Amino acid sequence: MNFMENELMINTPYCQIQYLKEKNAILCTWKQFCKGEDYKEPFLSGLELIKKHNITTWITDTTNGFENEEVDTVWLLQEIMPQFIESSLEKIVFIIAEESSLMDEILGQKEALGEFFEVELVDKI
């Protein structure tokens, strides 16, 4: 990946958010478990990028993903998803291994999000 053509928005111990110009996408790479503000920051930064660049695709790398705290899931569904739905976002991609312990959770998200977005599960981008 050529970092000169891509914009690194945030890089914390928990998550990296990057704008992939050539794909008009955000790549959200989770690194380890987090909650609260550490969980919210990547989504809020990503929302800024969506608005700035009229981004159409959100890619989440769940390779090092984790189950969310219930309070964070509620925040995501009630606060961020409505803003994503009203944005330029058209597609959500989950990078997930077939044997991932998160598969059931991600399949549930695929079903719920499928009402608003094209949703894909892939093993790599």
Side-chain angles (χ1 to χ4, degrees), residues 10-12 17 36-46 75:
I10 65 166
N11 191 13
T12 73
I17 294 288
E37 293 306 312
D38 292 324
Y39 179 78
K40 293 176 183 179
E41 182 183 11
F43 291 104
L44 295 171
S45 297
W75 174 84

Side-chain angles (χ1 to χ4, degrees), residues 6-93:
N6 300 313
E7 182 178 338
L8 185 60
M9 185 69 174
I10 65 166
N11 191 13
T12 73
Y14 308 102
C15 187
Q16 178 176 293
I17 294 288
Q18 187 174 8
Y19 170 48
L20 306 179
K21 185 176 180 181
E22 70 281 359
K23 295 183 183 292
N24 193 30
I26 287 176
L27 175 58
C28 173
T29 306
W30 292 104
K31 299 177 183 179
Q32 63 177 325
F33 175 78
C34 63
K35 60 184 180 178
E37 293 306 312
D38 292 324
Y39 179 78
K40 293 176 183 179
E41 182 183 11
F43 291 104
L44 295 171
S45 297
L47 188 57
E48 285 179 37
L49 277 175
I50 290 168
K51 292 175 181 176
K52 179 178 178 182
H53 298 290
N54 291 315
I55 291 171
T56 56
T57 304
W58 180 285
I59 304 166
T60 296
D61 185 346
T62 69
T63 303
N64 297 310
F66 49 87
E67 289 188 29
N68 297 337
E69 294 277 319
E70 184 176 351
V71 68
D72 290 329
T73 299
V74 169
W75 174 84
L76 180 67
L77 296 175
Q78 292 181 354
E79 300 294 327
I80 290 298
M81 276 306 141
Q83 293 182 68
F84 278 11
I85 291 166
E86 295 297 318
S87 75
S88 57
L89 212 56
E90 299 171 358
K91 183 177 185 179
I92 296 180
V93 177

